[in-house]
Amino acid sequence: MLLYTLKRLGLAILIVCVAMLLLLSAIHLVPGDPAGIALGPRATPEMRAEFKALMGLDQPFFIQYFKFLGNVVTGDLGVDVWSKRPVTQMIADQLPHTVALTIVGLGWSMMIGIPLGCFSAVHRNSFLDRFTAVISVGCIAIPSFIVGLYALLLFAVELGWFPAIGAGEPGDLGDQAMHLVLPGLAVGLGWVGYLARFVRTSMLEVMGENHIRMARAYGIPTRRITYIYALKLAILPTVALLGVGVGSLISGAVFAEIIFARPGIGKMVVDAVNTRNYPIVMGGVLVTTMLFALSTLISDLIAAWLDPRVRQGF
Amino acid sequence: MSTSENVLDVRDLSVSFNTARGSLRALRHIDLKVPQNKIVGIVGESGCGKSTLINSLLRLLAPNAVVDDNSEIIFEGEDVMEMGKSDLQGLRGQRISMIFQDPMTALNPVISIGAQMSDILYRQKLTKAQKRERAAAMLAQVGIPDSVRRLDDYPHQFSGGMRQRICIAMALMMNPSLLIADEPTTALDVTLEAQIIHLMKELREDFECSMLFVSHNLGLIAELCDEVIVMYAGEVVEQGNVHDLFHRAQHPYTQMLLECDPARISETRKDLPTISGSVPDLVDLPQGCIFSPRCPKRYEPCNESPPGTFEVGGQHSARCFKVRDA
């Protein structure tokens, strides 16, 4: 198990390094001189050169890359070009909001999606199965910002059940939790559909297997067969899917952060891209990539914990 | 417990499946008895209804199956067809248990052996430790070394033969009155097959249960069983004790089946004997005898109406007009 964990950890680090390489290439390939855009048309060549040196853009590509990686190891992500605040500090302020939002979104989608999928598989081809199929496909098809806007209008503006914007009073956990409900729903709803369909398919496959027939022949109670014997196997592909899915949940979180005017990494990176504030872009993308790599790592470890064949294969 | 000497008495069992093409009549008028402490073998080629028969006994048929109203499955004096949900729960795995064909897929891969075995004992008021103790004792009895430690292992850590031993241990956990073995050695190689059969013979004496042994290995049937039932396309075509059936087979299908047994072929031949033709369509049954299209001995009555069951003598009977006219 230890060796397995180390192997996965190595893979996670590799993912982050490759992602940063791609990002740096993208920065170089984007048309337009970043200094020119940032400083405006009236800037002198000296000002531009100074600006480029500040962002490290005057050095060769690979030097920039390894310098960046080297700084990351020491926890230094550079400074905001405009406010001169350290990027590490800015990210540390914003990150908890994004992580909380992603986790709540994940919670919403799992809480609704997995039971819905089990239900559809057990009552296969019933009216409710078909009904959930329509709901699921609907959830997949509706973009998260539409869900966000309507949820905001209905539950916050019309009904007033939940607060509309912001992240809540700092220090007041209850208030912050209330502020997470609607954005979380907006982020997670699309995944309700994916999960319901996915869990249904794996459940149906597992329910047809020999060992389930055997458990039935031995009179094991139906609920136990469904929720222990079958679900423990059927959930495995779903766990893997979710590990990857966190990536798309994070990008969904960007929309939710803008609509609900919440602080967060997403909003910060979008603003930084518009002003070509590269240290923040690099730092923000690095942290989200790390989040993504971490979530696949966690999902692999959960799968290994559930499935002894994975656990002992390494 | 019933006083009758038959543990299982199936009378006039007919099962059909609703399919897109119409009603598929998988079993037709099956009569069979399993006497106390005897092993009854069921032989027949693939698709003859063996599995449907077994599933009917435990009421585990697919949702599109329809069981004919006249059908009776009397198990220890009670009709399984009349049983409610809780009675069935008490029946499955407790009074009737089953060994499946493929030990590689019969055990749940993500639940430890000990947990799967203890789960079968959920009906008994035992502590967790007592259940584990029972499970370990059963494993030891079927010849799994170091049984206490191995309770925490998962199915993939055992070989095929070991897994079938575990399945046998699970089947005998509740000391059932009837054990159904569905081709228990088909998925194993010959050496393991011999070991498993030896084990089953040994355990039968310890546990005193009756057995329904499904196989298409005629040699095994001859070695293990007291009585034999030959099935063809959803009907019982011949039944009798093992000696009569192997030495005085009356039904042409049984005779041909015996000729096709590779173990019986003594000289080197280019082609192995086969039964020509294929199993009839069970949606659209022939008017006469079900075997007549493939039967080398058919004559006029065979095409007119299906033959009834005719006694050959004693407990030996066959569904063939030749027996009546002999």
Side-chain angles (χ1 to χ4, degrees):
Chain A
M1 190 70 187
L2 183 70
L3 188 65
Y4 177 76
T5 312
L6 286 177
K7 251 184 174 170
R8 292 289 133 158
L9 203 61
L11 188 69
I13 292 170
L14 191 70
I15 290 174
V16 173
C17 291
V18 171
M20 294 324 289
L21 188 65
L22 289 176
L23 178 70
L24 202 65
S25 318
I27 285 176
H28 277 262
L29 290 173
V30 157
D33 175 19
I37 289 167
L39 298 175
R42 287 193 292 169
T44 60
E46 291 76 35
M47 286 166 76
R48 283 184 198 166
E50 192 195 348
F51 186 79
K52 273 187 163 180
L54 181 70
M55 296 214 290
L57 289 171
D58 54 342
Q59 282 160 335
F61 182 79
F62 280 100
I63 301 288
Q64 285 182 44
Y65 179 61
F66 287 110
K67 229 178 172 174
F68 177 75
L69 287 187
N71 287 339
V72 167
V73 175
T74 60
D76 174 19
L77 294 172
V79 291
D80 179 341
V81 189
W82 304 117
S83 69
K84 310 290 182 212
R85 286 171 62 208
V87 175
T88 316
Q89 183 57 46
M90 293 174 72
I91 287 174
D93 291 343
Q94 307 288 328
L95 189 64
H97 294 292
T98 304
V99 170
L101 183 58
T102 311
I103 288 174
V104 172
L106 200 64
W108 269 110
S109 57
M110 278 169 38
M111 245 166 37
I112 307 176
I114 293 176
L116 213 60
C118 284
F119 179 86
S120 295
V122 174
H123 303 273
R124 185 187 184 178
N125 292 341
S126 64
F127 169 74
L128 279 163
D129 177 26
R130 275 160 214 195
F131 183 70
T132 50
V134 174
I135 298 281
S136 306
V137 175
C139 287
I140 297 170
I142 303 172
S144 66
F145 56 89
I146 300 283
V147 180
L149 281 175
Y150 278 94
L152 185 72
L153 278 176
L154 182 65
F155 294 111
V157 179
E158 287 293 325
L159 298 170
W161 291 354
F162 297 102
I165 55 169
E169 285 298 314
D172 182 353
L173 277 181
D175 188 43
Q176 286 184 335
M178 286 301 273
H179 277 85
L180 273 170
V181 175
L182 289 184
L185 179 70
V187 172
L189 195 67
W191 276 79
V192 168
Y194 280 121
L195 283 185
R197 295 276 86 190
F198 207 73
V199 169
R200 178 183 183 271
T201 312
S202 350
M203 274 296 264
L204 283 178
E205 202 184 305
V206 172
M207 291 299 254
E209 280 175 20
N210 262 337
H211 53 85
I212 297 294
R213 202 179 139 219
M214 168 143 158
R216 287 219 173 91
Y218 276 91
I220 309 288
T222 315
R223 284 179 69 92
R224 191 164 174 81
I225 292 180
T226 311
Y227 293 103
I228 310 258
Y229 281 65
L231 190 61
K232 202 174 170 198
L233 268 171
I235 204 78
L236 289 170
T238 311
V239 170
L241 178 78
L242 273 177
V244 181
V246 166
S248 85
L249 284 175
I250 294 173
S251 56
V254 177
F255 289 112
E257 277 164 9
I258 293 167
I259 291 168
F260 292 91
R262 290 174 55 82
I265 296 280
K267 196 167 179 300
M268 185 181 82
V269 171
V270 170
D271 291 344
V273 168
N274 287 336
T275 54
R276 297 291 197 276
N277 199 341
Y278 285 132
I280 293 186
V281 177
M282 294 284 282
V285 173
L286 174 81
V287 170
T288 44
T289 317
M290 279 176 163
L291 272 185
F292 173 72
L294 187 71
S295 74
T296 46
L297 177 72
I298 291 173
S299 87
D300 281 346
L301 292 180
I302 292 176
W305 173 64
L306 285 171
D307 189 343
R309 291 166 299 179
V310 176
R311 189 158 70 223
Q312 282 143 8
F314 290 90
Chain B
M1 185 64 108
S2 130
T3 49
S4 78
E5 55 183 296
N6 290 325
V7 175
L8 180 72
D9 189 349
V10 176
R11 295 175 198 155
D12 199 25
L13 174 67
S14 298
V15 176
S16 49
F17 291 98
N18 292 325
T19 66
R21 289 170 53 232
S23 179
L24 187 143
R25 305 191 53 208
L27 291 180
R28 296 176 308 282
H29 311 294
I30 302 284
D31 288 299
L32 83 91
K33 291 177 173 57
V34 180
Q36 193 91 52
N37 288 331
K38 297 275 188 209
I39 303 185
V40 176
I42 301 181
V43 209
E45 59 197 304
S46 311
C48 74
K50 291 176 293 192
S51 305
T52 309
L53 174 61
I54 292 171
N55 288 338
S56 319
L57 297 181
L58 287 171
R59 295 265 306 274
L60 283 171
L61 290 165
N64 65 337
V66 181
V67 181
D68 196 275
D69 286 340
N70 295 329
S71 309
E72 284 178 44
I73 299 172
I74 312 293
F75 176 73
E76 294 186 323
E78 289 172 71
D79 191 347
V80 174
M81 295 308 301
E82 310 276 305
M83 282 188 179
K85 213 175 164 185
S86 63
D87 289 335
L88 282 173
Q89 204 115 82
L91 183 77
R92 297 171 182 157
Q94 185 166 23
R95 295 165 65 195
I96 301 182
S97 67
M98 226 167 134
I99 302 170
F100 286 85
Q101 181 174 351
D102 185 3
M104 303 311 271
T105 58
L107 296 165
N108 193 305
V110 294
I111 299 175
S112 71
I113 296 297
Q116 291 189 58
M117 293 184 80
S118 305
D119 263 3
I120 297 173
L121 297 172
Y122 75 95
R123 287 161 279 225
Q124 298 191 330
K125 286 192 175 64
L126 294 172
T127 63
K128 218 174 165 185
Q130 285 171 317
K131 287 181 184 175
R132 274 178 71 88
E133 214 170 285
R134 272 284 296 282
M138 276 312 300
L139 283 185
Q141 198 158 4
V142 296
I144 306 262
D146 202 5
S147 59
V148 177
R149 198 183 52 80
R150 299 224 69 180
L151 282 178
D152 296 317
D153 282 351
Y154 292 88
H156 71 276
Q157 291 162 292
F158 293 88
S159 66
M162 285 290 185
R163 285 192 219 183
Q164 196 59 298
R165 282 168 192 269
I166 293 167
C167 291
I168 293 172
M170 289 171 85
L172 296 173
M173 282 288 272
M174 297 296 289
N175 211 345
S177 337
L178 177 68
L179 178 62
I180 303 171
D182 183 5
E183 306 196 25
T185 58
T186 308
L188 303 174
D189 64 50
V190 187
T191 335
L192 286 173
E193 179 169 61
Q195 284 178 16
I196 294 291
I197 295 299
H198 180 74
L199 175 72
M200 286 175 73
K201 273 179 158 174
E202 228 178 63
L203 291 170
R204 188 172 86 100
E205 276 157 32
D206 297 346
F207 283 86
E208 293 185 337
C209 65
S210 318
M211 206 191 290
L212 199 57
F213 188 88
V214 180
S215 181
H216 47 232
N217 185 332
L218 293 167
L220 271 186
I221 297 265
E223 189 188 332
L224 201 65
C225 300
D226 304 302
E227 287 172 33
V228 185
I229 287 163
V230 182
M231 283 182 73
Y232 177 75
E235 283 176 14
V236 173
V237 293
E238 185 161 7
Q239 55 183 313
N241 71 43
V242 70
H243 186 267
D244 286 342
L245 219 114
F246 279 88
H247 294 281
R248 283 192 289 278
Q250 296 298 313
H251 198 283
Y253 177 68
T254 317
Q255 291 166 354
M256 291 170 80
L257 205 62
L258 290 171
E259 276 169 33
C260 293
D261 184 11
R264 291 205 163 199
I265 300 161
S266 44
E267 78 266 35
T268 315
R269 343 180 15 167
K270 211 171 164 200
D271 301 306
L272 289 172
T274 53
I275 303 176
S276 60
S278 56
V279 184
D281 182 2
L282 295 181
V283 174
D284 186 21
L285 294 170
Q287 196 193 358
C289 170
I290 187 81
F291 188 58
S292 66
R294 298 171 81 181
C295 185
K297 295 178 179 170
R298 64 175 173 268
Y299 61 127
E300 297 84 58
C302 301
N303 294 329
E304 284 157 19
S305 63
T309 306
F310 305 109
E311 287 220 355
V312 182
Q315 295 291 310
H316 187 187
S317 63
R319 207 179 265 271
C320 179
F321 287 118
K322 286 273 185 192
V323 174
R324 181 193 65 181
D325 296 347

